[in-house]
C-alpha cells in the first residue's frame, strides 16, 4: 500500500521521522532549522510547575533527543520520547494534525497538509 504521495510505508516513516526531527530541533527558536515543518510546542501544567529552569532544560533535551529505538518508536516516526530529569520522568509526544489542528493529518508525510503539536508532559498526565 502507498500513500497519496506514492510513498511506500518504509519511505513514508523515514520522511515523517526526518520532519519530526527537524520540528523538534526547531523548538528552541535559537537556530533556524531548514525546512522545519510548522506546528506548536506546548507543555502541560505538571511540566510548567517544575519551574522555568526545568522547562528550559527539558526543552533543550527534547530538541537534542536521539534515543529512538524499535521498542520506543515502533512506527519509526520519532514521535515520542522519554527523558529523565532530576528524578522525574518526562515524556514528549508529537501529534500530526490537519492544517486547522482539528483532525488527524490526511497525509502525515506532507508538510503542506500537516501541522505538528509537540507536547511535553508527565506520565501521570497522559
Amino acid at each position: 500500500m502507498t500513500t497519496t504521495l506514492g510513498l511506500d510505508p518504509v519511505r513514508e516513516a523515514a520522511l515523517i521521522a526526518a520532519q519530526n526531527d527537524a520540528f523538534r530541533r526547531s523548538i528552541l527558536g535559537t537556530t533556524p532549522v531548514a525546512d522545519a515543518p510548522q506546528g506548536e510546542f506546548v507543555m502541560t501544567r505538571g511540566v510548567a510547575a517544575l519551574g522555568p529552569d526545568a522547562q528550559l532544560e527539558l526543552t533543550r533535551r527534547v530538541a537534542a533527543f536521539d534515543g529512538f529505538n524499535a521498542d520506543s518508536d515502533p512506527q519509526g516516526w520519532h514521535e515520542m520520547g522519554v527523558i529523565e530529569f532530576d528524578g522525574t520522568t518526562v515524556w514528549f509526544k508529537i501529534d500530526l494534525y490537519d492544517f486547522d489542528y482539528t483532525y488527524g493529518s490526511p497525509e502525515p508525510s506532507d508538510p503542506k497538509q500537516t501541522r505538528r503539536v509537540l507536547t511535553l508532559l508527565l506520565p501521570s498526565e497522559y
Side-chain angles (χ1 to χ4, degrees):
M1 181 161 165
T2 60
T3 67
T4 57
L5 295 179
L7 300 174
D8 67 73
V10 173
R11 286 192 57 213
E12 179 186 39
L15 184 57
I16 292 170
Q19 292 168 358
N20 283 344
D21 289 345
F23 179 69
R24 241 182 338 89
R25 287 191 302 271
S26 75
I27 62 174
L28 285 170
T30 55
T31 305
V33 175
D35 300 323
Q38 294 184 356
E40 297 179 8
F41 174 52
V42 298
M43 60 185 68
T44 61
R45 289 181 183 173
V47 174
L50 297 174
D53 292 339
Q55 292 169 29
L56 180 57
E57 180 57 28
L58 286 165
T59 302
R60 286 181 179 138
R61 290 186 187 190
V62 169
F65 188 85
D66 67 356
F68 300 103
N69 60 54
D71 289 334
S72 66
D73 186 35
Q75 292 188 93
W77 288 14
H78 293 190
E79 64 185 332
M80 188 164 188
V82 178
I83 297 169
E84 296 297 328
F85 177 74
D86 287 346
T88 301
T89 298
V90 179
W91 292 351
F92 71 84
K93 173 79 171 96
I94 298 175
D95 292 299
L96 307 176
Y97 289 94
D98 65 4
F99 194 80
D100 296 320
Y101 296 98
T102 304
Y103 303 104
S105 174
E107 186 60 63
S109 60
D110 183 359
K112 293 177 182 162
Q113 298 182 57
T114 304
R115 294 295 177 262
R116 286 163 168 74
V117 176
L118 191 159
T119 305
L120 198 55
L121 67 150
L122 302 177
S124 61
E125 297 175 299
Y126 189 72

